[in-house]
C-alpha cells in the first residue's frame, strides 16, 4: 500500500470498495482516520438540532449508535453506497456527500423515537419540546407524522387528509374540540369522530415505534 499521504480520494474509495483487496483493511483504517470525526460532528449537530435529550435519550449513546449505522451502511453490499459517489477526485464534494448521507441516517434514526414521544409524553411536554426546536426541524417532524399516517392508510384514501388535519390541529396546534368544530369545514363533524381519529392515529404512531420498546 502507498504511503497514506500519497493516497488520493479515488484510490482510497477503491480500497474500501473491494473486500478482496489486500489493502481493504488498511484502506478502512485510513478512511476512519480521515473522516470519522467529521461524521461525528455532522451527527452531533443534527442531534443537537433535534434536542434528543428531550426524547429521553442519552446524547453520546445516540451519536455513537448513529455513527455505527452510517459505517455499516458504507460497508454493506461491497460498499455499494461508496461506489455510487462519482466525483472521486473532489474532496470538497465528498465531504458534502458524507454530510448528506450522515444527516439522512440521523433523521431516520430520530424519527423512530419521535413517533414514540408523541404517543407516550404528556402533550404539554411535547409542545414545550416543539417550541425549543428550530423551525426547519419542526417542519421535518411535522412531515414525519403526516408521512406515517399516509403510509399506514393503505388504500383508504377518502378521509385520510381530513384525519391528518384533525390530528394535527388537536395534538400539534392544541385546538380544543369546540375550536375545531368552529371551523366551517368541521362544523358537521359527527359525535366521537374526533376521539376515534385521535386514538386511531396514536395507534399508528405507537405501532411505528414498537421496535424500540
Amino acid at each position: 500500500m502507498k504511503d497514506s499521504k500519497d493516497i488520493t480520494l479515488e484510490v482510497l474509495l477503491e480500497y474500501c470498495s473491494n473486500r478482496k483487496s489486500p489493502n481493504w483493511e488498511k484502506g478502512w483504517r485510513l478512511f476512519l482516520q480521515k473522516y470519522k470525526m467529521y461524521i461525528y460532528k455532522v451527527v452531533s449537530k443534527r442531534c443537537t438540532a433535534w434536542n434528543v435529550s428531550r426524547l429521553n435519550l442519552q446524547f453520546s449513546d445516540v451519536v455513537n449508535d448513529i455513527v455505527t449505522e452510517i459505517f455499516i451502511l458504507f460497508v454493506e453490499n461491497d460498499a455499494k453506497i461508496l461506489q455510487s459517489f462519482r466525483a472521486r477526485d473532489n474532496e470538497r464534494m465528498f465531504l458534502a456527500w458524507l454530510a448528506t448521507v450522515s444527516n439522512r441516517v440521523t433523521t431516520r434514526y430520530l424519527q423512530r423515537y419521535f413517533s414514540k414521544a408523541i404517543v407516550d409524553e404528556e402533550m404539554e411536554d411535547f409542545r414545550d419540546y416543539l417550541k425549543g426546536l428550530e423551525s426547519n426541524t419542526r417542519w421535518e417532524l411535522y412531515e414525519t407524522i403526516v408521512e406515517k399516517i399516509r403510509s399506514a392508510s393503505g388504500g383508504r384514501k377518502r378521509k385520510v387528509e381530513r384525519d391528518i388535519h384533525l390530528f394535527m390541529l388537536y395534538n400539534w396546534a392544541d385546538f380544543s374540540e369546540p375550536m375545531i368544530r368552529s371551523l366551517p369545514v368541521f362544523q358537521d363533524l359527527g359525535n366521537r369522530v374526533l376521539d376515534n381519529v385521535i386514538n386511531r392515529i396514536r395507534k399508528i404512531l405507537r405501532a411505528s415505534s414498537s421496535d424500540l420498546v
Side-chain angles (χ1 to χ4, degrees):
M1 183 177 182
K2 300 178 181 179
D3 186 282
S4 60
K5 296 180 180 179
D6 298 326
I7 296 176
T8 64
L9 173 62
E10 182 175 11
V11 171
L12 177 60
L13 293 179
E14 288 176 359
Y15 287 163
C16 293
S17 301
N18 184 4
R19 189 181 291 269
K20 295 180 180 179
S21 169
N23 296 314
W24 185 78
E25 291 186 6
K26 292 181 180 180
W28 273 109
R29 281 199 293 270
L30 179 57
F31 188 97
L32 291 172
Q33 291 172 13
K34 288 174 66 71
Y35 302 117
K36 185 176 181 179
M37 290 310 301
Y38 176 77
I39 291 171
Y40 261 98
K41 289 178 181 178
V42 172
V43 173
S44 295
K45 183 177 180 181
R46 193 68 161 165
C47 288
T48 298
W50 279 62
N51 198 1
V52 297
S53 60
R54 287 298 307 276
L55 295 175
N56 296 319
L57 302 173
Q58 293 295 322
F59 189 89
S60 60
D61 290 343
V62 170
V63 172
N64 287 332
D65 286 348
I66 294 171
V67 171
T68 298
E69 285 196 12
I70 291 169
F71 278 102
I72 290 173
L73 177 65
F74 286 159
V75 173
E76 66 184 2
N77 297 322
D78 295 323
K80 183 178 179 179
I81 191 169
L82 286 182
Q83 294 183 49
S84 70
F85 179 73
R86 299 303 180 191
R88 291 175 170 251
D89 60 347
N90 193 318
E91 180 83 8
R92 183 176 296 181
M93 288 186 65
F94 184 65
L95 290 174
W97 180 85
L98 281 179
T100 298
V101 173
S102 298
N103 279 322
R104 286 175 179 170
V105 174
T106 304
T107 298
R108 285 200 304 267
Y109 183 98
L110 294 175
Q111 282 174 344
R112 301 198 299 265
Y113 285 94
F114 173 69
S115 296
K116 187 174 187 297
I118 194 174
V119 172
D120 293 347
E121 289 188 7
E122 294 291 332
M123 288 311 300
E124 184 175 348
D125 291 339
F126 172 71
R127 294 187 187 104
D128 286 341
Y129 167 72
L130 290 177
K131 291 175 184 177
L133 299 180
E134 296 178 356
S135 59
N136 287 342
T137 305
R138 282 199 300 272
W139 271 115
E140 284 188 53
L141 297 181
Y142 187 98
E143 290 170 351
T144 294
I145 296 177
V146 172
E147 179 58 31
K148 286 181 182 296
I149 299 170
R150 285 181 178 144
S151 296
S153 67
R156 188 180 63 83
K157 301 291 186 182
R158 181 166 170 262
K159 295 182 178 180
V160 172
E161 298 305 317
R162 181 206 67 177
D163 292 354
I164 289 172
H165 287 307
L166 287 172
F167 185 81
M168 300 309 280
L169 286 170
Y170 186 81
N171 272 16
W172 190 280
D174 198 21
F175 275 41
S176 65
E177 183 168 355
M179 290 171 65
I180 292 174
R181 288 183 178 276
S182 71
L183 300 173
V185 70
F186 294 128
Q187 286 180 351
D188 298 325
L189 200 65
N191 292 332
R192 295 196 58 77
V193 168
L194 180 62
D195 286 342
N196 291 336
V197 168
I198 300 305
N199 290 332
R200 181 169 64 251
I201 292 180
R202 282 180 174 168
K203 287 180 181 179
I204 290 171
L205 296 177
R206 185 176 292 113
S208 72
S209 63
S210 61
D211 60 320
L212 301 173
V213 179

